Amino acid sequence: MSTTSGAPSGASSGAQSGAPPAASQRAAQKARTRRALLDAGLALLEHQSLSSLGLREIARAVGVSPTAFYRHFHDVADLGVALVEESLDGLRELIRAGLAEYGADADRIDHAVDALAAHVRAHPEHVRFLVRERHGGVAPVRQAIGAQLDGFAEEVAGVLERDEISRGWTRDDLRMLGETYVDHMVMTASAFLEAAQGEGPDEEHVARTARRQLRLISLGRRHWMSETG
Amino acid sequence: MSTTSGAPSGASSGAQSGAPPAASQRAAQKARTRRALLDAGLALLEHQSLSSLGLREIARAVGVSPTAFYRHFHDVADLGVALVEESLDGLRELIRAGLAEYGADADRIDHAVDALAAHVRAHPEHVRFLVRERHGGVAPVRQAIGAQLDGFAEEVAGVLERDEISRGWTRDDLRMLGETYVDHMVMTASAFLEAAQGEGPDEEHVARTARRQLRLISLGRRHWMSETG
DNA sequence: TGCTTCGGCGCACAACTGTTAACTGAGTCG
DNA sequence: CGACTCAGTTAACAGTTGTGCGCCGAAGCA
């Protein structure tokens, strides 16, 4: 209901386990085309933004007729929000795995920055899409990304709460700190991306700057109460 | 050469003083049309991004024939970079005026955030344009904004250098701090913008968060050397 | 005065866009 | 097996786009 018109309403075998295991071989083909559309769209978004991406353009890249597009998405914007979920799944995993340690110590900072750099290197198109459309011209996509990043901030705040340093912090202050970290992550991811394609400074410089910025924030975090309480 | 084809090569009266004072009355009309194109373009960019903005669309909004557009700009992208200069002039002024005090003390932080909020309230379209196209699909515009923001960071670093707290700071570290401030300014401006149009939290909440984030950075700044030296 | 400059216009062109409609044929199910 | 579902097709529609060509007429200049 949220993404496509005719969701693959599980008819035959009880498709309950996580990923689509086999499905009806018909739905499998449908899923394949859908994937192709998503991939083609993402690829085409390297040199333009979503609001200029045409329905026919995507269909042509996949090798299907324009009308076939409607079997999967109402809009190009609809395809966009589907890409949001997909693109952020990777980052969410990265946050949950290595960002419980996105806290204070130098080693953890180093590890977090490296993990982010690796992620950007592995999925450049996804990161580019998120950064570009976060403030882009398509409202639904923009709001979807915003909401997800908001969730990230909340999640990070929750993790930070379980830290000894956070003793006495307001829930509100923790939330503020979480937003700071998330914003910094996005900015850094964008910088890594630019580095990867020759624009701006090289990757090592970006990593250096990111590390020092995180150290700066950590320092402020450690001395927060002394001036506020 | 940088922006338009036929620059108004000063023929008649010595038009040397800053702004266009009178010009040849012909060039005046040309300038008026040019302004109209820029304004119309900026207005149209509220609900889309530059890479989807059409040449005819702008001309139609102004009430001019499409071919007239070429007398002023080669491309829509060309108009875009012109908008960059214009949009950033306002911010540059704001930085030089009130951001020499974008430093440490609570009063200065309050003032800086208020000034930024006022600027966003006064020029929403400019801010929206910058935030949206900073990572947008049009390379020349993206790079122009990036370069200008880079200049801002350098400038801020220069101001911070003249601060007593910065005694012993590496030039590199100051640059890092300047980038942090500029990034934060952009993020905050974007948040103010969203607040102004109903998306996201209200303006006062954004201001509160921004102030606390700046205080956090200031704290980290004050204790920087103790862990690094 | 007459000549030149040039911002803006109308027109035409080929290419492209989103969307509708009726149709095909392989996969699915009772 | 026969009925049905439905992902994908072709054809056509009314608009739209960027761009080139030749023209006009007011402003500028000698």
Side-chain angles (χ1 to χ4, degrees):
Chain A
M1 185 185 186
S2 62
T3 306
T4 317
S5 50
S9 49
S12 56
S13 61
Q16 195 75 17
S17 58
S24 54
Q25 177 199 355
R26 175 117 100 172
Q29 166 63 12
K30 174 162 184 175
R32 280 181 56 218
T33 307
R34 186 189 143 98
R35 265 252 56 82
L37 288 170
L38 287 168
D39 290 343
L42 198 54
L44 288 168
L45 282 177
E46 184 175 351
H47 298 298
Q48 58 188 315
S49 37
L50 187 64
S51 78
S52 74
L53 183 58
L55 176 154
R56 290 183 106 107
E57 202 176 349
I58 306 174
R60 189 186 316 129
V62 174
V64 283
S65 89
T67 49
F69 183 93
Y70 291 109
R71 305 283 185 200
H72 303 272
F73 307 98
H74 294 60
D75 257 346
V76 180
D78 194 17
L79 179 141
V81 306
L83 280 177
V84 172
E85 320 267 339
E86 182 173 299
S87 298
L88 280 168
D89 276 348
L91 272 189
R92 169 171 287 118
E93 185 186 356
L94 184 136
I95 284 189
R96 293 211 176 130
L99 213 62
E101 33 187 347
Y102 201 70
D105 305 346
D107 291 352
R108 297 183 174 180
I109 286 178
D110 290 3
H111 178 267
V113 171
D114 287 352
L116 182 60
H119 180 83
V120 175
R121 235 182 286 117
H123 310 288
E125 333 81 18
H126 282 164
V127 174
R128 175 178 297 114
F129 169 73
L130 289 175
V131 171
R132 182 162 295 170
E133 302 302 328
R134 173 150 151 67
H135 308 281
V138 182
V141 172
R142 195 192 335 154
Q143 289 162 352
I145 298 178
Q148 292 289 329
L149 289 185
D150 224 60
F152 279 17
E154 189 62 33
E155 201 164 337
V156 171
V159 171
L160 292 174
E161 197 169 18
R162 279 190 287 285
D163 205 328
E164 43 175 343
I165 314 178
S166 305
R167 192 163 299 276
W169 278 58
T170 310
R171 178 70 208 183
D172 220 44
D173 282 345
L174 285 170
R175 177 55 198 255
M176 178 274 291
L177 187 59
E179 289 178 24
T180 306
Y181 278 132
V182 169
D183 284 353
H184 181 265
M185 182 187 70
V186 173
M187 299 300 286
T188 303
S190 167
F192 274 132
L193 200 63
E194 290 179 2
Q197 63 188 41
E199 301 181 14
D202 59 299
E203 177 176 318
E204 181 46 38
H205 181 82
V206 172
R208 248 181 68 83
T209 301
R211 281 192 296 261
R212 284 187 293 172
Q213 286 172 329
L214 285 176
R215 209 179 308 147
L216 186 78
I217 296 175
S218 287
L219 265 125
R221 195 183 157 204
R222 240 194 300 276
H223 297 90
W224 183 249
M225 291 312 293
S226 56
E227 303 214 359
T228 318
Chain B
M1 186 184 186
S2 62
T3 306
T4 317
S5 52
S9 49
S12 56
S13 59
Q16 195 73 18
S17 59
S24 54
Q25 178 198 355
R26 176 117 100 172
Q29 166 63 11
K30 175 163 185 176
R32 280 180 57 218
T33 307
R34 187 188 143 99
R35 266 251 56 82
L37 287 170
L38 288 168
D39 291 343
L42 197 56
L44 288 168
L45 283 176
E46 184 175 350
H47 298 296
Q48 59 188 315
S49 37
L50 187 64
S51 79
S52 74
L53 182 58
L55 177 155
R56 291 182 105 108
E57 203 175 349
I58 306 174
R60 189 187 317 128
V62 174
V64 180
S65 104
T67 50
F69 183 93
Y70 290 110
R71 306 283 185 197
H72 301 272
F73 307 98
H74 294 60
D75 256 346
V76 180
D78 193 17
L79 179 142
V81 307
L83 280 177
V84 172
E85 320 267 339
E86 182 174 299
S87 299
L88 280 168
D89 275 350
L91 272 190
R92 169 171 287 118
E93 185 186 355
L94 186 136
I95 285 190
R96 293 209 176 131
L99 214 62
E101 31 187 350
Y102 200 72
D105 305 346
D107 292 351
R108 297 184 175 180
I109 286 179
D110 290 2
H111 178 267
V113 171
D114 288 352
L116 182 61
H119 180 83
V120 174
R121 236 181 285 117
H123 310 287
E125 332 82 17
H126 282 164
V127 174
R128 175 178 297 115
F129 170 72
L130 288 175
V131 171
R132 182 163 294 170
E133 301 302 327
R134 174 152 153 65
H135 308 281
V138 182
V141 172
R142 196 192 333 154
Q143 289 162 351
I145 298 178
Q148 293 287 329
L149 289 184
D150 224 60
F152 279 18
E154 188 62 33
E155 202 164 335
V156 171
V159 171
L160 292 174
E161 197 170 20
R162 279 190 287 285
D163 205 328
E164 43 175 344
I165 315 178
S166 307
R167 194 163 298 278
W169 278 59
T170 310
R171 177 71 208 181
D172 219 44
D173 283 345
L174 285 169
R175 176 57 198 253
M176 178 275 291
L177 187 58
E179 288 179 22
T180 306
Y181 277 131
V182 169
D183 284 352
H184 180 264
M185 182 186 69
V186 173
M187 300 300 287
T188 302
S190 167
F192 274 132
L193 200 64
E194 290 179 0
Q197 64 188 42
E199 300 182 15
D202 59 301
E203 178 175 317
E204 180 46 38
H205 181 82
V206 172
R208 247 180 69 83
T209 301
R211 280 192 295 261
R212 285 186 293 173
Q213 285 172 330
L214 285 176
R215 209 179 309 149
L216 185 78
I217 297 176
S218 287
L219 264 124
R221 196 183 157 205
R222 240 195 300 277
H223 297 89
W224 183 250
M225 292 310 293
S226 56
E227 303 215 359
T228 319

